[in-house]
Amino acid sequence: MLSFLYARQSGLDDPVRLRRAESTRRVLSLELNHNRDVDRIHGNGINTLDIEVIDGRYMLSGGSDGVIVIYDLENNSKKPQYTCKAICTVGRSSRHVHKFSVETVQWYPHDTGMFVSSSFDKTMKVWDTETLKPAEEFQFDGNVYCHHMSPVARKHSLVAVGTKDPKVQLCDLKSGSRIHILQGHRGEILSVRWSPRYDHILATASTDSRVHIWDVRRASGSLFTLDQHNGDKSKTSSEAVNTAHNGRVNGLCFTADGLHLLTTGTDDRMRLWNSATGENTLVNYGKVVNESRKGLKFTVSRGCSPEFVFVPCGSSVAVYGLHSGELITMLRGHYNNVDCCEFHPDYQELYSGGKDCNILAWVPVLRQPDIEDEETNSKRVKQSETFF
Amino acid sequence: MASMHIVLEDTHAVWCSADIRSSLQYLVTLFSRKLFNDSLPPVVLKHQLYSLHNDKTSVDKQVVRSDCNKCSTWDSVQSHFIIITLMHSEALVFSFPRQNELRETGELLMFQLGFDSEAFALVFAEDYRAKVLQGEAGRGTLGTVEKFLTKLIPSCSDLSFNKEKMLKEFLFTDSEITQLVKSGVLTVRDAGSWWLSIPNSGKFIKYFIKGRKAVLGMVKKSKYGEILQTELEGRRTTSQVKFQMKYHIHDIIGAELVECIQTTSGTLLRYVDGNVN
C-alpha cells in the first residue's frame, strides 16, 4: 500500500492503479460485518435489488409480497454500528401496490425522482418517488419477468420488457407508447439487458436456450444470436445448434465497460461472451448451480482488476474471477435461497437478498492496525507524559 | 516489457502442455484394458482432467481446438516466441507451439459419448488407430476404415461429420459411408450426419454409467453423505463397479457431482444434492 502511495505521489504510477489495487483488495476481503445491517421490512422473499447510480445512496428492493422498499445506505450517525433504514415503503396497505410478486425494480438512470417496477400481476408501473403513486401503468398479457432501462441513453427512454410472450416489448416513457416489438424468440423472455456502452444495443435471454443481441434502430431482426460452440456445428446434437446454453437462459449481465456479456443457464453453466462479435470466450467457471425457474439476478464488480462476478448459488453467493473462471470464494450467510445481489461500486460492498427475507450487506474487512503501531503509540504517550 | 510478459506466459504454456500430457498418461494407466478383452483403446474423459488441474479454462484451451481466425484473446495467438536475453546483449529466439497443440497436431481425439452433452472422451490417436485396425483385421471393411483414419487423424478435429463433408472433402461414396457405420467408427447422429465414435464403446458406456452410479451411491450412503477420499479409495468395490476406483473418483470430482473439501485429514468428498444421477 505504501509503495503504491509513494509511486502515485512521485508520478511513477497512474492514479488509477492505486484505486484499482485497493478496490481489488477490498473485494477479495468481503465478509459479513456485525456493524452493518439492513432493516428487515419484507415479509416474504426479496426478488430484486437496485442501487441508484447517481449517489449510490438509495437502494430499492422488491419482494414476493408485492412490497417495494427504499433504503438509505449512507451512514450519517458517526457510529460504526449502523442499520440501513427503510425511508419509505409501498406496502400492502397502499392503493397502488402490486397484487403479486414484484420481479424487477429499477431506479430511473438519471435521477431518483422516479423508479419502475414490474410484477407477476402483468403490469409495469412507473412510480413517482415523492408521492409513491404510479405516474404510468403498462398492462401486459402475461407475467412480466424482467424489464430494463438503458443506463446510458440520452436520446431515448425506452424500457425493454420481457414477459411470457416471446415478443420483447419496448415501452417509451416519453410518449407512453408500446408499439415497438422485437420478434425472434420462441419462448418466454427471462432476462433483458441494455448495453452500458451503446444506447441502442439490447440483449435478451429466453427459455428457448437462445440469447439475441438487438439493435433497436434496425427494422429487421436481431443482430446475431450467441452460439456456445462458436459456429462449430459438429460439437453438438442437431437440435442444440446455435444455442447459448443447453437449458433455459435465465441471467444476463454486461461487464461495466460493455465489452463482455455474461449469461447463466439452467444447464448449470455460466458463459462469458464478447459482446461485439458474439464469440464464446470459452472461460470455464465449472458448475454454477442454477435452479431458478425465473430470472436470476447477478452482478459484476466495477473498478477492480481483475473483475469479479457475484452469482447467487443456492443459499450462498459465489465469487468468480471474470476472465480466469476461478472460484474465489463462497459468501455464506443466508438461511435460504439467494435471489439477487447488487454491487456498490464506490464502497466495494455487496448487498444480497433472498427467500429468507433478509438483505445482507457484505463489507470489506478493515485493515487491522499492526502490532508495531500500537507499541509506538503507547511509547509516545508515555514519553509525552514524562515530558510533562 | 511486453516480451517479458510473453516469456512468462509461454513458459507457463509449455509447462501446462507437458502437464496435461502427463496427466492424460496417468489417467490412461487407470483404465482397465482387460475388461474389454483389449479391444478398446484407453478412454479418458475430459472432465477427469479438471480434478487434477485447478484451472479449467487452461485445460480446455489445450484440449479443445480454437480457430485461430476467430480468436480475439492475445495470448493464444501472439505468444509464439520466447525471447531470452542473455548477459552480453545476445538474444535467443525460440519458437514454441501454440497452446492448443494436442488436438491440432492430431495427437488426441475427442468424442461425444452421447449420455451427457458435456461429457467428452479423449483417446490418444495412435492407440485409437491401433485398436480400430486390430478390430477390423480380416474384415472386408478394412480398406475403407484405413482410408478414413489416414484422412482423419493428421488434420481433423471435428466431433461429427455431415454428408457434404464426407462426400466432397473426404471423397467417400455412400457405400463406403455405410461400411464405416457398420464398422463402428461412425455413429448415426441425424439424417445425413454422423458422430465420430469408438468401435465397441457401448459396453464401456454401460459399465461406466453403472460404476459412476455405484460410487456416487457409496458416497451418498456414508454418514452425513460425505467420505474421505482415501477411505473411498480403500473400499471394496461392488460387482457393479468394473473400473478402478480412482478412475471413477477422478470422474465424479471433475464432473462436480461431489464437492471437494480440504480438511486436516485429507480431501473430503461430500455428495451434492440435486444430482440427476
Side-chain angles (χ1 to χ4, degrees), chain A residues 230-238 241 246 267 269 271 274 279 282-287 324-325, chain B residues 50 55-57 60 64 70-72 110 112 117-118 120 158-160 189-190 195 255-256 272 275:
Chain A
N230 284 336
D232 188 5
K233 292 201 177 66
S234 71
K235 278 247 180 81
T236 171
S237 59
S238 9
V241 167
N246 292 327
D267 58 348
R269 298 272 174 262
R271 298 191 210 274
N274 181 330
E279 178 207 344
L282 296 173
V283 178
N284 193 332
Y285 298 96
K287 190 170 172 185
S324 66
Chain B
Y50 297 156
D55 194 354
K56 296 189 181 84
T57 314
D60 278 350
V64 174
K70 286 193 214 155
C71 224
S72 56
M110 196 153 97
Q112 168 70 271
S117 57
E118 304 270 347
F120 296 102
D158 279 338
L159 270 71
S160 75
R189 171 187 170 216
D190 196 10
W195 291 114
E256 293 188 76
V272 172
N275 280 333

Side-chain angles (χ1 to χ4, degrees), chain A residues 255-317:
Chain A
T255 53
D257 52 13
L259 293 173
H260 291 274
L261 174 65
L262 277 162
T263 60
T264 55
T266 52
D267 58 348
D268 293 340
R269 298 272 174 262
M270 184 159 69
R271 298 191 210 274
L272 182 69
W273 311 81
N274 181 330
S275 60
T277 60
E279 178 207 344
N280 185 353
T281 57
L282 296 173
V283 178
N284 193 332
Y285 298 96
K287 190 170 172 185
V288 180
V289 178
N290 188 343
E291 289 159 350
S292 176
R293 300 185 117 239
K294 34 185 200 176
L296 185 72
K297 295 178 174 51
F298 62 103
T299 180
V300 181
S301 68
R302 238 170 293 168
C304 306
S305 151
E307 299 285 5
F308 302 99
V309 190
F310 304 96
V311 192
C313 261
S315 59
S316 42
V317 180

Side-chain angles (χ1 to χ4, degrees), chain A residues 40-58:
Chain A
R40 193 180 154 144
I41 305 283
H42 284 281
N44 224 321
I46 293 155
N47 283 329
T48 173
L49 290 171
D50 189 41
I51 300 178
E52 47 119 356
V53 203
I54 303 104
D55 278 332
R57 183 172 171 176
Y58 299 107

